[in-house]
Amino acid sequence: MDRTAVARVLDQIASYLELKGENPFRVRAFHAASKAVAGLAAEPADALADGSLAATKGVGQGTIAIVEELVRVGRSELLEQLREDVPAGLVEMLGISGLGVSRIRTIHEKLGIESLTELETAAREGKLAALPGFGAKTAENVLKGIAFLRRAQEFRLSHHALEEAELLRAALERLPGVDRALVAGEVRRRCEVVRELVLVLVADVPAADVFRSLALVPGVEEVAGADERRVTLRTPGGMSARIVVTPPVNLGAVFVQATGSEAHLAQLSDHAVEKGFSLNAVALWHGSEFVPTPDEAALYRALGLREVPPELREGTGEVTRAASGPFPRLLEPADLTGFLHCHSSYSDGAVGIEEMAVACREAGYAYMGLTDHSKAAAYAGGLSVDDLHRQWAEIDAVNARLSGIVVLKGIESDILADGSLDYDDATLAGFDFVIASIHSRFAMTEDEMTARVLRAMESPYLTILGHPTGRLLLSRQAYPLDLDRVFAKAAQAKIAIEINADPHRLDLDWRVLRRARDRGVMISIGSDAHNRAGIGNMAFGVGIARKGGLTREDILNCRPANEFLTFARARRPR
DNA sequence: GCCGTTTTCGGCCCGACTGTTTTCAGTCG
Ligand SMILES: [Zn+2]
């Protein structure tokens, strides 16, 4: 069992215990343990063996026993027991914003409801609003919540999808007759959420032979009948995976089509027809003449096009673009010199400053912009002014000790409801740079929210606007915000806007990046790391930047530390 | 359940909003 699966079990245990009315601190402990496991640097079995699991904050004897059990037998006795005691539908209801344990218990006891479907019916029929403590607004929000949850259940977050895809790819590549297995589809296009996995198998044997050996792949089941070149599977993690087999000579045609998107393929097909070609499901043809496409470049070349980077294949003009010359070199992970937006154990992070800095250095960064939560974020252990002075002293000490990495004094300051930051200017002046973001009071109109953000951008100490739309992918909608006005202000005031690289956020959305860049907005990629594993977030941020067509010139933290600091200082009063 | 320690128990994250009440419980970040 991998980190994700173990973390999920621990989360589930927490939810079931919560619904059973268990000690809330025990519930919280399981949630914390889940986060800790998800943030491990190694897989659970290895972390158990080398003692790093036991050394992790938030993991004690109880968690270790469960992880051992999960690694050994793949299931948890405690969770199985809880499943018998509490209907699974009630746990699903916890995912609805506005429903907590106490309301769910009322719903269960008074209406006998055990599933989302029943809850939906009750809300429609007015039975929910009639419950004590409930009303019309609550019922309406519950219906909205159910709709959101249903849609969310069709997708997976990109990091989970990538993990599943990679495991499946490795397993498929070991099958007899398979030369190579390649991940295609939304994962390859670096989409922010993923509906299904698509993999291409290169094989010189008939597909039927390959499919017969699928039974060798552990935990995978076939869900849709195979034809002569395709089959649909269900992965151990519950994702749908489409597998396409091709001989090497047609890999280009098949890989392009397996990668998509629909919109890209439609435009590509139109272009092909114009040039006298046709692209069917398995190969490229010029009239009645077969055209070999051993790789994607061969396919695009035959059509008179430059090879389109997979991230850009979204039908947003890239085919026309590919006819007119080479694409710019998109951002690459190694272009990043600065590791920005990370938390330490001073607020809600799991590791200390020095450990994080050393890990950043190992990952190849030249500077680390530490940004713990600010004092308004009490729930996340936000720093008081006293805490700040302690932290700054420690940063100075760490910088004196370490070579090869510089720790910068930053903060993720809350933007309060009125648009002010939650430290006074004298305190803000003590930071090397300031990220400001919204963590509360989301229920505002677009005008109010825009005014709030614009007011925050008046602060001469603000360097970067953090996770600008506040979305949590598949769990919370973005708050309304007039991005065009925010971009205009950012360009004029020389404030960078963040791509938050946490796979739960990926905010800014890639669809608006080009607009921001073309208006002269500097973009910054922030990891939002809360532990060492969070260093890996940056790869997802890079994927989103590439998807938005950005290059290293567009990104603030591709610049060396001194230029980064110059950027931050340029706005400040002298 | 985890943590820390005056080491085996006692405390753990709290302030503010929201929708529902008619003075506040429940939820959220
Ligand atoms: Zn944040």
Side-chain angles (χ1 to χ4, degrees), chain A residues 166-369:
Chain A
E166 205 32 62
L167 283 173
L168 185 57
R169 194 201 66 76
L172 292 174
E173 200 163 62
R174 287 193 294 267
L175 293 182
V178 174
D179 291 337
R180 290 164 74 196
L182 302 162
V183 176
E186 295 152 304
V187 172
R188 185 170 182 233
R189 300 206 312 279
R190 313 286 288 267
C191 293
E192 75 277 21
V193 290
V194 175
R195 192 191 293 262
E196 72 165 352
L197 304 180
V198 187
L199 286 97
V200 173
L201 306 185
V202 185
D204 244 341
V205 300
D209 295 354
V210 175
F211 294 153
R212 259 196 298 280
S213 58
L214 278 177
L216 301 174
V217 183
V220 164
E221 59 180 301
E222 184 176 327
V223 292
D227 64 13
E228 65 285 355
R229 48 179 213 90
R230 283 181 310 188
V231 66
T232 301
L233 308 174
R234 173 95 35 207
T235 69
M239 289 198 79
S240 168
R242 195 150 49 87
I243 314 297
V244 187
V245 180
T246 181
V249 69
N250 288 330
L251 174 60
V254 170
F255 200 19
V256 164
Q257 293 184 81
T259 299
S261 66
E262 295 275 341
H264 176 73
L265 295 177
Q267 291 174 11
L268 194 62
S269 172
D270 288 350
H271 177 87
V273 169
E274 259 174 49
K275 299 268 171 183
F277 287 82
S278 69
L279 185 60
N280 72 11
V282 295
L284 180 68
W285 298 81
H286 190 206
S288 60
E289 182 193 343
F290 170 76
V291 184
T293 55
D295 55 31
E296 290 189 320
L299 178 106
Y300 285 107
R301 203 183 315 116
L303 299 175
L305 300 172
R306 303 284 181 155
E307 185 172 355
V308 181
E311 295 91 339
L312 299 184
R313 300 181 195 171
E314 295 291 345
T316 53
E318 71 278 3
V319 173
T320 316
R321 180 82 180 67
S324 67
F327 286 88
R329 177 190 171 282
L330 298 177
L331 181 72
E332 286 176 18
D335 295 336
L336 292 173
T337 52
F339 186 84
L340 297 182
H341 193 159
C342 64
H343 300 268
S344 75
S345 43
Y346 274 81
S347 66
D348 60 349
V351 292
I353 296 172
E354 181 158 3
E355 184 182 346
M356 200 67 182
V358 168
C360 283
R361 183 177 63 188
E362 279 168 16
Y365 293 97
Y367 56 101
M368 172 179 110

Side-chain angles (χ1 to χ4, degrees), chain A residues 341 343 373 412 437 439 467 505 528:
Chain A
H341 193 159
H343 300 268
H373 284 287
E412 181 180 15
S437 18
H439 291 114
H467 49 72
R505 294 188 182 270
D528 215 345

Side-chain angles (χ1 to χ4, degrees), chain A residues 40 95 106 118 187 271 288 291 298-299 409 464 473:
Chain A
L40 283 175
T106 307
E118 291 168 344
V187 172
H271 177 87
S288 60
V291 184
L299 178 106
K409 297 166 186 160
I464 299 164
L473 290 165

Side-chain angles (χ1 to χ4, degrees), chain A residues 380-445:
Chain A
L383 274 63
S384 69
V385 173
D386 280 351
D387 295 331
L388 286 175
H389 287 108
R390 261 194 319 123
Q391 178 169 80
W392 292 343
E394 183 175 343
I395 291 175
D396 289 338
V398 167
N399 279 332
R401 266 199 305 273
L402 294 183
S403 58
I405 182 95
V406 179
V407 180
L408 304 182
K409 297 166 186 160
I411 192 77
E412 181 180 15
S413 176
D414 263 42
I415 300 177
L416 303 177
D418 66 355
S420 58
L421 305 185
D422 66 341
Y423 295 110
D424 59 27
D425 280 1
T427 308
L428 290 172
F431 295 106
D432 292 324
F433 74 106
V434 173
I435 297 179
S437 18
I438 289 179
H439 291 114
S440 59
R441 291 296 316 272
F442 301 114
M444 286 190 177
T445 65

